[in-house]
Amino acid sequence: DIQMTQSPSSLSASVGDRVTITCRASQGISDYLAWYQQKPGKVPELLIYAASTLQSGVPSRFSGSGAGTDFTLTISSLQPEDVATYYCQKYNNAPYTFGQGTKLEIK
Amino acid sequence: EVQLVESGGDIIQPGGPLRLSCAASGFSFSSYWMHWVRQAPGKGLVWVSRINSDASSTAYADLVKGRFTISRDNAKNTLYLQMNSLRAEDTAVYYCVRGWRGVGVLNAFDIWGQGTMVTVSS
């Protein structure tokens, strides 16, 4: 099975900072990579699919890139409401593995 | 409004069975592949199981294979997860999630229910 590894596991940044989270697949998954945001106490929400396509309603400060095995989620200017745990996921076939998550906090 | 509403979560003793349900509304349920995803307290997301649109194909995570069964009733717009031989490590919030719409480009998990809590404890 393909493993999904995120880094870092946690991250603290200041409002306005550019934040980058990486996700690596143990084998190539083309662009079948999604990013989810889970705010504290809330249900996960889809942010990005197909590695770089923003889900409807997601602020443009979020962006995704990558293909194959290496992917990146970038927040161009961190806002207080972005405090959350972020997960990557491969969704091309079973098992639909999630990364372990990256907890983002405000410094 | 597109909505998924789970029910059936409970406190159950180890070894016992439990069935979760997920009522779908606001979209063509019978067209979509559906999933169950779980999250243990304070932990990350774990994909559990998937069923295709006409229930002809299912898939399971290794940690539940042989114990859990996913099914659906398209006439009732309802997804199910039958869980048997429950273990303490199955304790989690279980989310019902919408997946691929069955045609065209694969899409990610775009609609999530609020989740239902399953606690396995003696």
Side-chain angles (χ1 to χ4, degrees):
Chain A
D1 293 346
I2 295 175
Q3 306 304 312
M4 305 300 293
T5 304
Q6 285 181 238
S7 62
S9 297
S10 63
L11 176 58
S12 181
S14 300
V15 172
D17 281 355
R18 182 181 182 88
V19 171
T20 299
I21 298 169
T22 64
C23 177
R24 175 165 288 177
S26 60
Q27 298 175 42
I29 58 170
S30 184
D31 66 349
Y32 294 110
L33 190 282
W35 290 97
Y36 301 87
Q37 177 192 62
Q38 186 176 30
K39 295 183 178 181
K42 301 297 185 181
V43 175
E45 294 185 351
L46 177 63
L47 278 182
I48 288 171
Y49 61 94
S52 61
T53 303
L54 242 59
Q55 176 71 345
S56 176
V58 173
S60 59
R61 62 181 179 273
F62 290 91
S63 64
S65 64
T69 60
D70 293 304
F71 302 89
T72 299
L73 170 68
T74 299
I75 307 173
S76 60
S77 178
L78 185 65
Q79 299 302 303
E81 59 266 32
D82 300 335
V83 168
T85 300
Y86 294 84
Y87 297 92
C88 64
Q89 182 210 24
K90 62 171 283 290
Y91 63 91
N92 53 328
N93 54 24
Y96 302 84
T97 309
F98 290 90
Q100 79 276 20
T102 296
K103 186 174 183 179
L104 176 59
E105 298 175 329
I106 299 289
K107 202 181 288 184
Chain B
E1 180 191 5
V2 175
Q3 199 171 9
L4 297 169
V5 179
E6 303 93 337
S7 60
D10 206 346
I11 301 172
I12 191 81
Q13 290 194 343
L18 191 65
R19 189 176 85 156
L20 306 182
S21 299
C22 170
S25 59
F27 66 100
S28 179
F29 176 75
S30 62
S31 298
Y32 284 82
W33 292 29
M34 297 296 296
H35 301 259
W36 288 98
V37 174
R38 75 185 188 186
Q39 186 171 36
K43 302 297 185 181
L45 301 172
V46 176
W47 172 78
V48 172
S49 184
R50 176 227 83 202
I51 188 166
N52 70 344
S53 51
D54 67 2
S56 61
S57 171
T58 59
Y60 299 91
D62 285 346
L63 57 157
V64 306
K65 201 172 293 183
R67 299 189 298 124
F68 290 12
T69 302
I70 191 171
S71 62
R72 65 192 297 161
D73 185 335
N74 286 341
K76 295 182 178 179
N77 290 339
T78 303
L79 176 73
Y80 303 101
L81 185 68
Q82 177 67 45
M83 304 185 294
N84 295 329
S85 304
L86 280 163
R87 306 166 180 167
E89 53 265 35
D90 295 319
T91 295
V93 173
Y94 285 74
Y95 295 104
C96 168
V97 188
R98 190 176 81 170
W100 186 40
R101 64 182 180 273
V103 293
V105 177
L106 283 174
N107 52 284
F109 293 11
D110 63 345
I111 303 296
W112 295 63
Q114 289 299 309
T116 187
M117 182 71 203
V118 173
T119 301
V120 184
S121 174
S122 54

